Amino acid sequence: MSRGGAESAQTEGQGGVDGPGDPGRHRHAHGPHALPVWQSSQPGSIYDYIRVASFSLGPDGCIDQWSERAAEMLGIPARHAVGKDPVEAFVPRELRATGRRKVSEILDGREWTGLVPYRREPGGDTDGLAEIYVMPSQTERGERAAVCLVVDVRALRGIETDLAASQAVFGQSPMGFTLFGTDLKLLRVNERFATVFGGPAGKYRGRSPHDFLPRSEAERMTAALRRVLDTGEPVTEMQLVGTVPGEEDRRRWSVSLYRLHGASGRPIGVAALAADVTGRRRAEREAANARRNLALLNEAGARIGNSLDLETTARTLLDVAVPQFCDLASVDLYQGLLAGDEAPPGMSDGSAELRRVAFASAVSDAPLATSTCCVPDNADGPVAVGAVHRYPFNSPCAGALRTGQAQIIPGRENDERQELGAVVHSTLAVPMVARDTIVGLVQFSRTKGSEPFGERDTALAVELAARAAVCIDNARLYRREHERALILQRSLLPPGDPEAAGLDIACRYLPGTTATEVGGDWFDVIELPGHRTALVVGDVMGRGLRAAVAMGELRTAVRTLALLDLEPAEVLSALDEIARGLGGGGDGRSTARGPRSLTGAAAKVPEHRALTHTADLSEVYLATCVYAVYDPVTRRCTFANAGHLPPVLVEDGEDALLLDVPPGMPLGVGGEPFEEIEVDLPDGALLALYTDGLVESRHHPLEEGLRAFRQALSDSDRPLEDVCDHVLSALDTSHGEDDIALLMARVHGLPKDAVGDWSLAPEARSVARARELARDQLTDWGLQDLVDTTELLVSELVTNALRHGHGEIRLRLLLDRTLVCEVWDADLAQPRRRRARDTDEGGRGLQLVGLLSAGWGSRRTPRGKTVWFELALPDGESATTDPTEALLSLF
């Protein structure tokens, strides 16, 4: 029926029938007892696609009716068709005989369907092919006629092609394909959709999303369908999560929706494309995890190990891991290793004590127990940073330490200790292994709501722990070596408050860098016989442990040479030979050098400071040194210099003065003798010895630094310690380029009443005279407790001078912190102590001196020698040695 007929039919039957826009129309049309009603079809019906035309034949075989659709489709208006013989008008000449036969058969009452070529214009060529369905009919007079329905074959083939294509796309699509009706019910699904969501395709027809998706996901799907149907805006790649019947694992689907329209443009439903992206999602998640892991490793490589401090390295590891990798973490290190032990007891079985050095959390400021099965034996709750603990032997943490393998520890909710471990549901206990040694344990934990740890996480945690372990072990080794170097450095420097007769001493040492705190600068205060004092400041070229070792060897050599009581120039000459020997090759021979390669003290600065780790040992033992000997009796100081900066002298009311001490060559160069000068130092004068790190810097020239140093010393009336602090604060001492050593001494000298000095004739009665002088002097000083011992020892020394020496004899008593007695004679032969036999009548004098005195010795003088002994002053507590008992003990 044509559309016009349908419309007229509806007009005739509208009484009591709902209009087309009324929802009641659908209830009448689709209810269980609905009656058929007349209505207008919406545009876009199948007839619009097929384009059906009609005409009729009268009893005479001519066309008596020609529809408008026939005129439109065939291109022949009704005036050219009505009354014409269809065979003559439309059929080619060669087919007319067959056409007339078929028309006769039709008029005889036979139905016929077939293909008929036609011309769009009379007399034209064939340009179309129509499929005609002929139905016999009768006129009102009973005559035979026919009604013909015409369909253009091209339209039919197009529909067939479209149907075949649609079927191919729908049925063979690799994606799930479905069609929802306007009521949001499934009209059709393909097999792939059934495969994606499970079950046969037929069971989904007439279903809603609630029939195959979880409730929350079905509501999202329904809302999206309604929105697409109402607005026409497509939805792409909407993610849905659900389960497939028969499977427990959750699946993820990606669904795209778009609205379908009829030929007239009216919506006829919503098409959906669904793809199972569970594997792709898993791959994307794994790729994201891999990228995150690589980023974490990259960040760990960039940040971990930048410090040689154990705690800083451990905290850096946790800063990298929390919260990017886990929610909370802690680092425990073996307490024994931190204390310097190589392998503390219990380390192999994981039962040794550990100290928590770092903790980090993204969920709580206070420490949490990561697992109740890893709570330490000696802990009532979570372990605080700095606490020492140990893990139970059978715990996973102890097992990780024992085996060296990471352990995944699931969280356990314990009623007794629920507050400690209930929040954590997965923990990784990873041993920290460095150079095949386990140094500690790091625990990574995730709280509820985070994914539990897997194999990939374990591999990443092991890598992070290994990197941190190497850095922590390096820091531990550095700390150990640094402490040993500090012990060496401090053992080679004099005590903090050195004492000297007639001098107030103050000293400072600043390392060039706080990273090493060891270097080649040194100073020393050496007590010499006769209450004299040697002041030494030196600088080994280079820095670090090697320079400190070289400094220690040279300082020991200086002290040894100083105790021989050599002149300052002789000390430096001997020290130069020692330095050349220490700087020689492995065979102990000195390395040959050109003695003229350096022309002065300044020549040492650029050439010999460029030391590297590949420098020859001969360069390491290049050093500068200034050596001064102060005599508090004469208040005279003798200086010798080996390429060092000159001392500074400050007298009362005067500006600071650089002493004109001949610079000489640095130690280890050789080839030039050293000179010495004597300087009289008045009481109250200030003497400063220093290294070049105090006055030299790349930011200013040496002369400027020396000028600033002298200016800082001008105000020297304050206490000596304050003067040192003022100098260090006034100068640039934080440049970190070189070590700094500063030795300052304020001169007091010995008062005249503290010195007894006499000359004795070389005759026997001088022995008695010496005893008398010593007794009277000690009585004046109030040292009656030392009279007997002093008389005995003075008698021995004067007797030896008479027996073995010649020329005038000189006796001198010095009182300061101790009592010193010196006997001078003109003989150069040094006394030698020997062990007397029981039958010997003599040879026990020096043994007696050594037994009764605190110390004794001899030294050369320009015109002979001096033999001396020293006695401690009585303190009222310790008893003095009885000379008689000491004398009897020798036999």
Side-chain angles (χ1 to χ4, degrees):
M1 179 182 296
S2 67
R3 184 176 305 167
E7 290 176 353
S8 62
Q10 181 182 4
T11 302
E12 294 175 359
Q14 273 185 349
V17 180
D18 293 329
D22 194 328
R25 173 173 60 88
H26 299 287
R27 290 194 301 269
H28 287 289
H30 300 287
H33 304 288
L35 298 176
V37 296
W38 294 92
Q39 65 181 25
S40 298
S41 297
Q42 294 291 335
S45 66
I46 188 64
Y47 302 105
D48 294 325
Y49 290 100
I50 299 177
R51 298 178 62 81
V52 178
S54 64
F55 64 93
S56 61
L57 299 178
D60 57 355
C62 293
I63 298 172
D64 58 359
Q65 289 186 359
W66 188 259
S67 67
E68 293 181 0
R69 179 65 62 84
E72 178 183 353
M73 184 179 71
L74 299 178
I76 301 175
R79 65 180 180 274
H80 293 161
V82 175
K84 296 291 185 69
D85 182 355
V87 176
E88 293 290 337
F90 309 120
V91 177
R93 186 180 302 274
E94 64 274 10
L95 298 176
R96 288 177 180 176
T98 303
R100 289 189 181 93
R101 186 172 60 252
K102 292 297 183 183
V103 170
S104 299
E105 294 176 355
I106 291 170
L107 293 177
D108 289 339
R110 296 181 59 183
E111 292 185 0
W112 179 79
T113 302
L115 297 177
V116 177
Y118 65 90
R119 293 189 303 270
R120 293 180 63 88
E121 293 293 339
D125 296 331
T126 301
D127 58 3
L129 186 65
E131 182 173 291
I132 299 179
Y133 176 47
V134 181
M135 296 173 290
S137 63
Q138 290 184 354
T139 64
E140 57 185 8
R141 293 189 298 269
E143 297 175 328
R144 293 282 186 180
V147 176
C148 302
L149 298 178
V150 183
V151 178
D152 192 339
V153 172
R154 290 176 299 178
L156 287 178
R157 297 296 179 263
I159 292 175
E160 291 175 356
T161 301
D162 291 344
L163 289 176
S166 299
Q167 184 62 30
V169 171
F170 194 85
Q172 302 174 22
S173 172
M175 303 180 65
F177 193 94
T178 185
L179 177 62
F180 287 89
T182 54
D183 57 355
L184 306 185
K185 300 290 185 179
L186 283 170
L187 299 177
R188 186 179 180 185
V189 300
N190 66 351
E191 293 295 332
R192 182 57 182 169
F193 179 90
T195 303
V196 169
F197 286 91
K203 79 170 189 177
Y204 289 101
R205 293 176 182 171
R207 302 289 184 92
S208 70
H210 288 273
D211 295 322
F212 56 90
L213 288 174
R215 179 177 178 180
S216 60
E217 299 294 87
E219 291 176 352
R220 290 180 56 227
M221 181 72 170
T222 302
L225 287 170
R226 184 172 290 108
R227 185 169 61 254
V228 172
L229 189 62
D230 293 341
T231 65
E233 297 180 359
V235 173
T236 59
E237 296 186 356
M238 182 176 65
Q239 302 292 314
L240 299 175
V241 178
T243 57
V244 173
E247 296 183 11
E248 297 181 357
D249 295 339
R250 300 176 68 188
R251 307 287 289 274
R252 182 179 293 271
W253 300 285
S254 176
V255 179
S256 296
L257 306 175
Y258 59 94
R259 189 169 70 180
L260 296 178
H261 303 84
S264 62
R266 68 181 178 88
I268 61 174
V270 178
L273 294 176
D276 190 339
V277 295
T278 305
R280 185 179 71 185
R281 180 67 175 177
R282 185 182 299 112
E284 291 175 352
R285 186 168 57 251
E286 291 180 355
N289 291 338
R291 288 192 296 270
R292 182 201 64 183
N293 294 350
L294 288 176
L296 277 176
L297 290 177
N298 183 57
E299 183 179 3
R303 296 180 59 184
I304 297 176
N306 291 332
S307 172
L308 287 175
D309 180 74
L310 286 169
E311 288 76 8
T312 301
T313 302
R315 287 194 298 268
T316 303
L317 167 63
L318 301 191
D319 290 342
V320 172
V322 179
Q324 292 90 341
F325 178 69
C326 61
D327 298 315
L328 61 157
S330 62
V331 176
D332 299 326
L333 299 179
Y334 276 118
Q335 176 69 6
L337 292 179
L338 295 177
D341 299 338
E342 291 298 330
M347 184 173 171
S348 60
D349 59 11
S351 63
E353 287 186 337
L354 298 107
R355 179 161 63 89
R356 180 147 298 177
V357 296
F359 172 82
S361 174
V363 296
S364 173
D365 294 334
L368 296 175
T370 55
S371 178
T372 56
C373 60
C374 267
V375 174
D377 285 334
N378 54 343
D380 296 331
V383 180
V385 174
V388 178
H389 62 279
R390 65 178 78 233
Y391 289 109
F393 180 80
N394 294 325
S395 67
C397 292
L401 291 170
R402 187 165 51 250
T403 62
Q405 302 295 323
Q407 303 277 346
I408 297 181
I409 309 170
R412 299 181 181 178
E413 295 190 9
N414 191 315
D415 293 338
E416 298 179 357
R417 308 186 70 168
Q418 185 174 3
E419 72 282 359
L420 298 179
V423 71
V424 175
H425 78 97
S426 183
T427 298
L428 262 176
V430 185
M432 306 183 74
V433 184
R435 302 176 182 90
D436 297 329
T437 300
I438 298 177
V439 298
L441 182 77
V442 57
Q443 296 185 62
F444 304 102
S445 299
R446 290 177 178 173
T447 57
K448 291 183 178 179
S450 301
E451 293 185 359
F453 289 109
E455 294 182 2
R456 190 183 299 273
D457 296 321
T458 303
L460 175 62
V462 170
E463 179 65 22
L464 288 175
R467 293 192 180 197
V470 172
C471 297
I472 286 177
D473 194 51
N474 289 340
R476 178 184 68 86
L477 295 176
Y478 167 77
R479 175 180 289 185
R480 184 187 67 184
E481 297 303 321
H482 184 232
E483 290 175 352
R484 293 177 180 177
L486 285 180
I487 292 173
L488 172 64
Q489 176 84 10
R490 291 165 183 169
S491 67
L492 295 177
L493 293 175
D497 298 315
E499 296 180 353
L503 294 174
D504 291 336
I505 303 294
C507 51
R508 295 290 187 273
Y509 173 79
L510 298 178
T513 171
T514 56
T516 58
E517 296 189 18
V518 294
D521 289 11
W522 91 92
F523 61 89
D524 209 346
V525 179
I526 307 171
E527 295 187 64
L528 299 178
H531 285 314
R532 295 172 304 136
T533 303
L535 304 176
V536 188
V537 169
D539 182 3
V540 175
M541 295 185 184
R543 64 178 61 186
L545 186 58
R546 295 181 66 187
V549 171
M551 175 269 288
E553 292 177 317
L554 293 178
R555 177 179 179 271
T556 303
V558 170
R559 294 189 69 89
T560 303
L561 295 170
L563 294 177
L564 294 177
D565 213 352
L566 302 176
E567 295 298 325
E570 294 177 341
V571 170
L572 293 185
S573 296
L575 190 62
D576 176 64
E577 292 298 324
I578 293 173
R580 295 182 68 192
L582 293 175
D587 56 1
R589 295 175 297 179
S590 177
T591 302
R593 300 182 184 88
R596 300 293 178 181
S597 60
L598 298 176
T599 58
K604 73 184 181 73
V605 176
E607 179 177 356
H608 296 283
R609 284 193 179 278
L611 295 176
T612 64
H613 65 281
T614 58
D616 186 73
L617 286 176
S618 60
E619 296 182 7
V620 176
Y621 284 94
L622 286 174
T624 64
C625 179
V626 61
Y627 185 88
V629 176
Y630 172 70
D631 188 341
V633 178
T634 63
R635 293 175 175 82
R636 182 172 297 163
C637 190
T638 304
F639 295 92
N641 192 353
H644 203 80
L645 294 174
V648 176
L649 178 63
V650 185
E651 299 184 14
D652 289 340
E654 301 290 340
D655 293 334
L657 174 68
L658 289 175
L659 295 179
D660 188 14
V661 180
M665 302 296 291
L667 300 175
V669 175
E672 294 290 341
F674 296 97
E675 301 180 39
E676 61 184 38
I677 64 169
E678 293 184 348
V679 179
D680 292 330
L681 304 179
D683 282 347
L686 183 66
L687 181 65
L689 306 179
Y690 54 96
T691 58
D692 56 0
L694 181 66
V695 295
E696 187 177 27
S697 172
R698 69 183 64 180
H699 304 296
H700 56 75
L702 177 61
E703 291 76 10
E704 182 179 337
L706 288 172
R707 184 167 54 253
F709 180 41
R710 292 165 57 193
Q711 183 177 356
L713 287 174
S714 297
D715 184 14
S716 59
D717 296 335
R718 65 184 72 187
L720 199 56
E721 293 291 337
D722 294 343
V723 175
C724 281
D725 295 337
H726 172 68
V727 168
L728 295 180
S729 62
L731 301 181
D732 179 18
T733 58
S734 60
H735 50 72
E737 298 173 10
D738 199 0
D739 305 328
I740 296 174
L742 175 63
L743 177 62
M744 303 184 71
R746 177 165 283 149
V747 176
H748 295 295
L750 288 180
K752 292 182 179 180
D753 57 1
V755 180
D757 195 349
W758 306 275
S759 295
L760 302 174
E763 54 189 19
R765 62 180 181 178
S766 294
V767 177
R769 177 61 178 164
R771 288 198 299 266
E772 180 183 357
L773 293 172
R775 181 174 57 253
D776 293 342
Q777 185 65 65
L778 292 181
T779 302
D780 292 341
W781 287 341
L783 299 176
Q784 288 82 359
D785 294 341
L786 299 180
V787 169
D788 293 340
T789 302
T790 304
E791 284 187 359
L792 178 61
L793 298 184
V794 166
S795 177
E796 288 293 334
L797 294 187
V798 173
T799 300
N800 285 342
L802 288 173
R803 181 177 300 173
H804 304 289
H806 60 273
E808 186 181 43
I809 299 174
R810 183 181 176 187
L811 172 65
R812 188 167 73 168
L813 293 178
L814 305 175
L815 177 62
D816 194 69
R817 291 175 293 114
T818 61
L819 176 66
V820 174
C821 176
E822 298 176 328
V823 176
W824 308 48
D825 64 63
D827 186 63
L828 295 178
Q830 297 292 315
R832 182 176 63 88
R833 181 178 178 179
R834 66 182 181 87
R835 181 174 297 278
R837 294 181 298 231
D838 294 341
T839 58
D840 291 342
E841 295 182 1
R844 295 180 177 86
L846 293 182
Q847 285 184 314
L848 184 62
V849 173
L851 185 62
L852 292 176
S853 66
W856 75 278
S858 66
R859 68 179 186 274
R860 293 178 181 177
T861 64
R863 293 183 296 272
K865 69 177 183 295
T866 300
V867 182
W868 58 272
F869 67 84
E870 185 177 6
L871 295 177
L873 300 181
D875 55 5
E877 297 180 0
S878 58
T880 58
T881 304
D882 187 356
T884 304
E885 293 181 0
L887 183 60
L888 293 176
S889 67
L890 298 177
F891 295 92

